[in-house]
């Protein structure tokens, strides 16, 4: 670890810290913001409905309680989790991450790191499930 040295009364080194990030979205053009919001919202809704449908189908149908469907259940659950982690913001304001297409959105450093951790966790989990499915 490098210590700051004092030269001429001023400390050298970076003393700043990041406390929050401002998410600007993909574009600043209002007509494209609404179109992108609807496109990503539609993709997210299809993903959630598809994954929840598969999960409910596997749970309710006793004929689907085989190892391959166990892996598909876990794969759907993992996909649902990590797509929700990226798309949604924790419950306090400013609301869903998709809203950053429409207005300015702020996320704290701790929230950003927690979101990154859970996203990486679920992506690695999905890779492990794919590996297990390949051996099955």
């Amino acid at each position: 670890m490098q210590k700051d040295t004092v030269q001429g009364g001023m400390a050298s080194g970076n003393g700043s810290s990041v406390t929050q990030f401002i998410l600007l979205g993909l574009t600043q053009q209002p007509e494209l913001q609404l179109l992108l919001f609807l496109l990503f919202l539609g993709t997210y809704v299809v993903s959630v409905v598809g994954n929840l449908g598969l999960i409910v189908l596997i749970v309710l149908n006793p004929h689907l309680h085989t190892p391959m469907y166990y892996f598909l259940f876990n794969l759907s659950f993992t996909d649902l989790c990590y797509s929700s982690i990226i798309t949604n913001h924790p419950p306090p304001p400013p609301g869903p991450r998709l809203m950053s297409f429409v207005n300015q959105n702020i996320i704290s450093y701790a929230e950003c790191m927690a979101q990154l951790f859970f996203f990486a966790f679920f992506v690695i989990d999905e890779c492990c499930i794919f590996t297990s499915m390949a051996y099955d």
Side-chain angles (χ1 to χ4, degrees), residues 67-87:
M68 185 52 75
Y69 286 103
Y70 171 75
F71 287 128
L72 286 175
F73 173 86
N74 286 323
L75 190 63
S76 290
F77 178 74
T78 301
D79 186 42
L80 179 69
C81 289
Y82 84 76
S83 62
S84 296
I85 291 290
I86 289 300
T87 307

Side-chain angles (χ1 to χ4, degrees), residues 21-60:
F21 298 104
I22 299 173
L23 305 176
L24 299 176
L26 294 178
T27 181
Q28 297 299 323
Q29 299 172 354
E31 62 276 356
L32 285 178
Q33 287 178 343
L34 183 59
L35 179 67
L36 288 172
F37 172 75
L38 293 174
L39 177 71
F40 284 105
L41 179 64
T43 304
Y44 175 68
V45 168
V46 167
S47 173
V48 168
V49 169
N51 285 317
L52 283 177
L54 191 58
I55 289 170
V56 168
L57 183 66
I58 292 171
V59 168
L60 294 180

